[in-house]
Every structure is written in C-alpha cells, then in structure tokens.
Amino acid sequence: MGEFFIVSAFLGTLLFLLPVYVRVEAHADVRENKCWFFLGLYRYLKIVGGYGQLEKDGIALHITKKKAIFLPYASMSDARKKFEITQGFQPVSFHQVIETGGADSVYGIMLGAALTAIAGSVFSVMQTKHPFLSLKNNVLLSHRTELKVSLQSEVVFNGLVIAIAAVKKILEAIINWIRTKKLTASWKKQRNA
C-alpha cells in the first residue's frame, strides 16, 4: 500500500510539473468564407477541430457534420474582456503563410512586400518580449484573385499554471460574492432604518 501511494504521488507530481504543449492551426480562405481550425495537445492529440463561417449575426463553428456552435458578435466583445492569459502560458512558435493574388501586377508585388515588412516589424517586437519564440512569415503571390491565411501556433504551460489560474478565478468569484453580500446587507439596513 505504501509503495502504491509513493508511486502515485510521484507520477501525479510529475504530470503536474511536465510541460503541456497546445497547438493551434488555422487556415482561412476569404473566397470560400471558411476558416478550418485544429486545437490539439502535443501536435497530434485532437481536442477540437472543424471549420467556421462568418454569418450575418455571428460566427458559426461546425465541430462535426451534425453539430455546430453559433457565437453572436455581441457576446464576443464581453468574452474578450473576460479572457486573460496569465504569465505561465509561454508562446513557443507562431508561423504564418499569406497567399494573395497579384503576381502579375505591380500593386500585388507591393502588397506582398508591405505584408512582409509589417510582419517583420511585429515579429521583431515579439522577439524582444519572448526571445525563444520561433517566428516565421511567408507571403505567396498567385495569379488568381484570392486571399488565404494559414497559421500555426504553439503554447506551453504546465498543470501548476492551470491550478494557479483556477485558484485565482475561484478567489475572484468569492471576493465578488462577498462584496455583493455586503452591499446587499448594507442596503437592507438602510431600507429598514
């Protein structure tokens, strides 16, 4: 019994401290109004995948052939305010490929050069903040009129970071609950007086 407890405690601690790699891949095609996506662990373990389409009132995420999730534009602004990345989530890589038309025109070549220059400027700022971040940018010019963007990004964290983030959220919820209880109690006292 004692050996099982020691081995399980060791394995639990090891899993708690080992790095977890989350990979996000996306490929957007403006002409088809679709964005295919993949979210997985360690490059191969799929968490979720499918494609999204822009609709009039929001974004439709098609997870399977029979299941779709609709995200209204109004709720996205509130979700963006609530979403916060803690310091424990470290980006490992960000690779992008932009394919645009205009290979036969001067304006298309100038657009490709401008996209490369903008990405280079942004990447240099990101490189100073995260020196071990792998950054790649490619711009492809084609003879057809199109705009396609492919992204691959990877973030690393461990179980300890997730536990700290969860405890932080729980404590914030408790503090907000206590504040509302105090405000309600003081309001009832004022009302009874």
Side-chain angles (χ1 to χ4, degrees), residues 4-143:
F4 175 74
F5 177 74
I6 291 173
V7 169
S8 62
F10 174 74
L11 290 177
T13 305
L14 191 64
L15 289 174
F16 201 61
L17 297 176
L18 280 177
V20 177
Y21 288 88
V22 175
R23 184 176 184 89
V24 177
E25 295 181 11
H27 175 73
D29 190 344
V30 175
R31 180 185 286 176
E32 292 189 27
N33 187 26
K34 286 187 179 179
C35 178
W36 294 269
F37 62 90
F38 169 82
L39 177 68
L41 296 174
Y42 302 105
R43 294 189 182 190
Y44 303 110
L45 299 174
K46 178 181 173 182
I47 296 174
V48 68
Y51 69 93
Q53 286 183 305
L54 294 176
E55 302 293 334
K56 187 172 73 170
D57 298 331
I59 298 175
L61 297 176
H62 300 270
I63 307 301
T64 65
K65 289 183 179 180
K66 295 183 179 180
K67 184 177 180 182
I69 300 170
F70 185 74
L71 303 171
Y73 293 129
S75 66
M76 284 186 210
S77 62
D78 296 335
R80 186 177 53 88
K81 293 174 187 172
K82 293 178 185 177
F83 184 71
E84 176 185 336
I85 296 180
T86 63
Q87 294 294 328
F89 293 86
Q90 295 297 321
V92 176
S93 67
F94 183 82
H95 302 166
Q96 71 178 8
V97 176
I98 301 172
E99 185 176 350
T100 182
D104 354 344
S105 72
V106 174
Y107 297 114
I109 295 169
M110 288 173 59
L111 176 66
L115 290 173
T116 303
I118 291 169
S121 301
V122 171
F123 284 2
S124 65
V125 172
M126 290 173 67
Q127 194 74 43
T128 58
K129 190 171 182 179
H130 304 284
F132 300 108
L133 183 61
S134 169
L135 299 168
K136 292 182 183 173
N137 176 49
N138 291 317
V139 177
L140 304 174
L141 299 176
S142 70
H143 296 286

